Amino acid sequence: TKRGKRQSEQIELLKKLWTERSVNFQGEFDQITHAGVNPLPIQHTIPVWFGGGSDATLKRAARLGDGWIPLGNPGSKTIKMIEKLPISCFIIALNEADRIEKTIKSVKDLVDEIIVIDSGSTDGTQKIAEDMGCKVFYNKWNGFGPQKRFGEDCSKNKWLLNLDADEYLSDEISDEIRNLFKNNLKDNFYSMRVIPIYPNWKKPRLFSAYHLCIRLYNIDYGRFSNSKVHDSVETNFQKVTALKKPVFHKSVRSFNHLIIKGNHYESFYM
């Protein structure tokens, strides 16, 4: 869509009309020859306010506008949307068009950078991620560890959050992470309970098994190992604090998919 480009151009044109007696303008969407506003506004530049909640709108408001109006009632959701944390979330993906949107949505209002490392998707995964405001990079697949280390190297922040494309944060763990930053993080490594949700499950079973994985960490103190199979963060024996709330993992699309995944992992050992 060219809606954003059109809006940016029209604001530029309006500002010229409000401040210049005669305007010549040749844009992609608008052309004006020897036109003007008579009389000119007394205050010259009239304030331009933007309404909306997307990342693109916020960036446009910061670049071109004089103010921003959130759509909807003011409340905790609006505050969270504005107050994003200095965290880079990086996600490795291959043909995840059916699952990655939920992953991105779960962190979109939490972190100020989302990076997708794609290893050659053919189902439109890259476009979905780009349309949702993510930075998308291609990196040839060489195993889990190397792919995640590439994601670390693409990130702008010291604090990193790693999710796979079939995982998503619960609302509760998002709030828990916000509280960590509000209280000036006391440690450098935080583990999370990654709980599986299998086909036809709407939510985890009571007392479900889970994996405890380091997913939030400061890269100045440790990073992912280079192992092709065992992708884990190396802490150099430093303290790891376990968060209480869960990350959900929809790793299996179907039971046939479970067999395919098992064969894929087995190939690393042969």
Side-chain angles (χ1 to χ4, degrees), residues 175-185 190 216 243:
D175 291 338
E176 193 173 3
I177 292 170
R178 282 190 182 279
N179 288 331
L180 282 177
F181 277 76
K182 188 182 296 183
N183 295 318
N184 299 320
L185 299 132
Y190 294 88
L216 178 66
L243 300 184

Side-chain angles (χ1 to χ4, degrees), residues 12-25 32 34-41 44-45:
E12 180 186 355
L13 173 57
L14 283 171
K15 289 185 175 181
K16 284 180 175 292
L17 289 169
W18 292 334
T19 57
E20 299 176 18
R21 295 195 177 281
S22 180
V23 174
N24 292 304
F25 186 89
I32 288 180
H34 301 303
V37 175
N38 187 19
L40 290 173
H44 294 295
T45 301

Side-chain angles (χ1 to χ4, degrees), residues 163-176:
L163 291 175
D164 289 341
D166 54 4
E167 298 172 344
Y168 58 95
L169 298 185
S170 63
D171 292 340
E172 293 79 10
I173 202 168
S174 292
D175 291 338
E176 193 173 3

Side-chain angles (χ1 to χ4, degrees), residues 74-180:
S76 60
K77 186 175 181 181
T78 301
I79 293 170
K80 287 179 181 178
M81 183 174 63
I82 302 169
E83 295 179 348
K84 295 186 179 183
L85 301 177
I87 300 173
S88 296
C89 176
F90 64 95
I91 304 162
I92 65 171
L94 175 65
N95 291 328
E96 295 287 354
D98 60 328
R99 299 190 289 190
I100 198 168
E101 184 175 348
K102 193 174 187 70
T103 306
I104 295 169
K105 282 183 177 178
S106 77
V107 297
K108 192 171 178 62
D109 292 337
L110 178 69
V111 306
D112 70 0
E113 181 179 53
I114 306 174
I115 293 170
V116 173
I117 310 302
D118 189 86
S119 52
S121 294
T122 57
D123 65 348
T125 295
Q126 305 94 321
K127 186 175 188 309
I128 292 171
E130 287 172 349
D131 288 347
M132 295 184 72
C134 304
K135 298 176 182 177
V136 179
F137 298 91
Y138 169 76
N139 194 50
K140 183 179 179 182
W141 180 257
N142 192 34
F144 290 96
Q147 200 75 345
K148 292 193 175 185
R149 288 171 72 92
F150 182 84
E152 291 172 334
D153 292 338
C154 292
S155 301
K156 71 177 184 180
N157 292 307
K158 292 183 178 182
W159 277 99
L160 305 182
L161 172 64
N162 172 241
L163 291 175
D164 289 341
D166 54 4
E167 298 172 344
Y168 58 95
L169 298 185
S170 63
D171 292 340
E172 293 79 10
I173 202 168
S174 292
D175 291 338
E176 193 173 3
I177 292 170
R178 282 190 182 279
N179 288 331
L180 282 177

